[in-house]
Coordinates of all heavy atoms in Angstrom, one line a residue:
S927 N -121.9 1.9 -136.0 CA -122.5 0.5 -136.1 C -122.3 -0.2 -137.5 O -122.6 -1.3 -137.7 CB -124.0 0.7 -135.9 OG -124.7 1.4 -137.0
L928 N -121.7 0.5 -138.4 CA -121.2 -0.1 -139.7 C -120.0 -0.9 -139.5 O -119.6 -1.7 -140.4 CB -121.0 1.0 -140.7 CG -122.2 1.8 -141.2 CD1 -121.8 2.9 -142.0 CD2 -123.2 0.8 -142.0
T929 N -119.4 -0.9 -138.3 CA -118.2 -1.6 -138.2 C -118.3 -3.2 -138.5 O -117.4 -3.8 -139.1 CB -117.5 -1.4 -136.7 OG1 -117.2 -0.1 -136.6 CG2 -116.3 -2.2 -136.5
P930 N -119.4 -3.8 -138.0 CA -119.4 -5.3 -138.2 C -119.6 -5.5 -139.7 O -119.0 -6.5 -140.3 CB -120.7 -5.7 -137.5 CG -120.9 -4.7 -136.4 CD -120.4 -3.4 -137.0
L931 N -120.3 -4.7 -140.4 CA -120.4 -4.9 -141.9 C -119.1 -4.7 -142.7 O -118.7 -5.6 -143.4 CB -121.4 -3.9 -142.5 CG -121.6 -4.0 -144.0 CD1 -122.3 -5.2 -144.4 CD2 -122.4 -2.7 -144.5
I932 N -118.4 -3.7 -142.2 CA -117.1 -3.4 -142.8 C -116.0 -4.6 -142.5 O -115.4 -5.1 -143.3 CB -116.5 -2.1 -142.5 CG1 -117.4 -0.9 -143.0 CG2 -115.1 -1.9 -143.0 CD1 -117.1 0.4 -142.3
T933 N -116.2 -5.0 -141.3 CA -115.4 -6.2 -140.8 C -115.6 -7.4 -141.6 O -114.7 -8.1 -142.0 CB -115.6 -6.5 -139.2 OG1 -115.3 -5.2 -138.6 CG2 -114.6 -7.6 -138.8
M934 N -116.9 -7.7 -141.9 CA -117.2 -8.8 -142.7 C -116.6 -8.7 -144.1 O -116.2 -9.6 -144.6 CB -118.7 -9.0 -142.7 CG -119.3 -10.1 -143.6 SD -120.9 -10.3 -143.6 CE -121.3 -11.4 -142.4
A935 N -116.8 -7.5 -144.7 CA -116.3 -7.3 -146.1 C -114.8 -7.4 -146.2 O -114.4 -8.1 -147.1 CB -116.8 -5.9 -146.5
I936 N -114.1 -6.9 -145.2 CA -112.7 -7.0 -145.1 C -112.2 -8.4 -145.0 O -111.3 -8.9 -145.7 CB -112.1 -6.2 -144.0 CG1 -112.3 -4.7 -144.2 CG2 -110.5 -6.5 -143.8 CD1 -111.6 -4.0 -145.2
T938 N -114.0 -11.1 -145.8 CA -114.3 -11.9 -147.0 C -113.3 -11.5 -148.2 O -112.8 -12.4 -148.8 CB -115.6 -11.6 -147.5 OG1 -116.5 -11.9 -146.4 CG2 -116.1 -12.3 -148.6
Q943 N -112.4 -15.3 -145.4 CA -113.2 -15.7 -144.3 C -114.6 -16.1 -144.9 O -115.1 -15.4 -145.7 CB -113.4 -14.6 -143.3 CG -114.2 -15.1 -142.1 CD -114.1 -14.1 -140.9 OE1 -113.5 -13.1 -141.0 NE2 -114.8 -14.5 -139.8
F945 N -118.7 -17.0 -143.9 CA -119.6 -16.6 -142.8 C -120.8 -17.5 -143.0 O -121.2 -17.9 -144.1 CB -120.1 -15.2 -143.0 CG -118.9 -14.2 -142.6 CD1 -118.1 -13.7 -143.6 CD2 -118.8 -13.8 -141.3 CE1 -117.1 -12.8 -143.3 CE2 -117.8 -12.9 -141.0 CZ -117.0 -12.5 -142.0
R946 N -121.4 -17.9 -141.8 CA -122.7 -18.5 -141.8 C -123.8 -17.7 -142.2 O -123.7 -16.5 -142.1 CB -122.9 -19.2 -140.4 CG -121.9 -20.1 -140.0 CD -122.3 -20.8 -138.7 NE -123.1 -20.0 -137.7 CZ -122.7 -19.4 -136.7 NH1 -121.5 -19.3 -136.3 NH2 -123.6 -18.7 -136.0
R947 N -125.0 -18.3 -142.6 CA -126.1 -17.5 -143.0 C -126.7 -16.6 -141.9 O -127.0 -15.5 -142.2 CB -127.2 -18.4 -143.4 CG -127.1 -19.0 -144.9 CD -128.4 -19.7 -145.3 NE -128.0 -20.6 -146.4 CZ -128.4 -21.9 -146.5 NH1 -129.3 -22.3 -145.6 NH2 -128.0 -22.6 -147.4
E948 N -126.5 -17.1 -140.7 CA -127.0 -16.5 -139.6 C -126.3 -15.1 -139.3 O -126.8 -14.1 -139.0 CB -127.0 -17.3 -138.3 CG -127.9 -18.4 -138.3 CD -127.3 -19.7 -138.9 OE1 -126.1 -19.7 -139.3 OE2 -128.0 -20.6 -139.1
S949 N -124.9 -15.2 -139.6 CA -124.0 -14.0 -139.5 C -124.4 -13.0 -140.5 O -124.5 -11.8 -140.2 CB -122.6 -14.4 -139.6 OG -122.3 -15.4 -138.5
I950 N -124.6 -13.5 -141.7 CA -124.9 -12.5 -142.9 C -126.2 -11.9 -142.6 O -126.4 -10.7 -142.8 CB -124.9 -13.4 -144.2 CG1 -123.5 -13.7 -144.5 CG2 -125.4 -12.4 -145.3 CD1 -123.3 -14.7 -145.7
L951 N -127.2 -12.7 -142.1 CA -128.6 -12.1 -141.8 C -128.5 -11.1 -140.8 O -129.1 -10.0 -140.9 CB -129.5 -13.3 -141.5 CG -130.9 -12.8 -141.1 CD1 -131.6 -12.2 -142.3 CD2 -131.7 -13.9 -140.6
G952 N -127.7 -11.4 -139.7 CA -127.5 -10.4 -138.7 C -126.9 -9.0 -139.1 O -127.4 -8.0 -138.8
I953 N -126.0 -9.2 -140.0 CA -125.2 -8.0 -140.5 C -126.2 -7.2 -141.4 O -126.3 -6.0 -141.3 CB -124.0 -8.3 -141.3 CG1 -123.0 -9.0 -140.5 CG2 -123.4 -7.2 -142.1 CD1 -122.3 -8.1 -139.4
I954 N -127.0 -7.9 -142.2 CA -128.0 -7.2 -143.0 C -129.0 -6.5 -142.2 O -129.4 -5.3 -142.5 CB -128.7 -8.2 -144.0 CG1 -127.6 -8.7 -145.1 CG2 -129.9 -7.6 -144.7 CD1 -128.0 -9.8 -146.0
I955 N -129.5 -7.1 -141.1 CA -130.5 -6.5 -140.2 C -129.9 -5.2 -139.6 O -130.5 -4.2 -139.6 CB -130.9 -7.5 -139.2 CG1 -131.8 -8.6 -139.8 CG2 -131.7 -6.7 -138.1 CD1 -132.2 -9.7 -138.9
G956 N -128.7 -5.4 -139.2 CA -127.9 -4.3 -138.6 C -127.7 -3.1 -139.6 O -127.9 -1.9 -139.3
L957 N -127.5 -3.4 -140.8 CA -127.3 -2.4 -141.9 C -128.6 -1.7 -142.2 O -128.6 -0.5 -142.3 CB -126.8 -3.0 -143.1 CG -126.5 -2.1 -144.4 CD1 -125.6 -1.0 -144.0 CD2 -126.1 -2.8 -145.6
V958 N -129.7 -2.5 -142.3 CA -131.0 -1.9 -142.5 C -131.3 -0.9 -141.4 O -131.8 0.2 -141.6 CB -132.1 -2.9 -142.7 CG1 -133.5 -2.4 -142.7 CG2 -131.9 -3.7 -144.0
G959 N -131.0 -1.4 -140.1 CA -131.4 -0.5 -139.0 C -130.5 0.7 -139.0 O -131.0 1.9 -138.8
T960 N -129.2 0.7 -139.4 CA -128.4 1.8 -139.6 C -128.9 2.8 -140.6 O -129.0 4.1 -140.3 CB -126.9 1.4 -139.9 OG1 -126.5 0.6 -138.9 CG2 -126.0 2.7 -140.1
V961 N -129.4 2.3 -141.7 CA -129.9 3.2 -142.8 C -131.1 3.9 -142.3 O -131.3 5.0 -142.4 CB -130.2 2.3 -144.1 CG1 -131.0 3.1 -145.1 CG2 -128.9 1.9 -144.6
S990 N -112.1 -2.4 -138.4 CA -112.3 -3.6 -139.1 C -111.1 -4.3 -139.6 O -110.9 -5.5 -139.5 CB -113.2 -3.3 -140.4 OG -114.4 -2.8 -139.9
L993 N -109.4 -5.8 -136.5 CA -110.1 -7.0 -136.0 C -109.7 -8.2 -136.8 O -109.3 -9.3 -136.3 CB -111.6 -6.9 -136.0 CG -112.2 -6.0 -135.0 CD1 -113.7 -5.7 -135.3 CD2 -112.0 -6.6 -133.6

Side-chain angles (χ1 to χ4, degrees):
S927 69
L928 292 172
T929 300
L931 176 68
I932 298 169
T933 302
M934 178 183 264
I936 297 287
T938 302
Q943 187 170 358
F945 292 92
R946 297 187 333 255
R947 280 190 204 139
E948 295 86 8
S949 299
I950 294 170
L951 180 62
I953 296 293
I954 290 170
I955 290 170
L957 178 62
V958 169
T960 299
V961 170
S990 300
L993 289 168

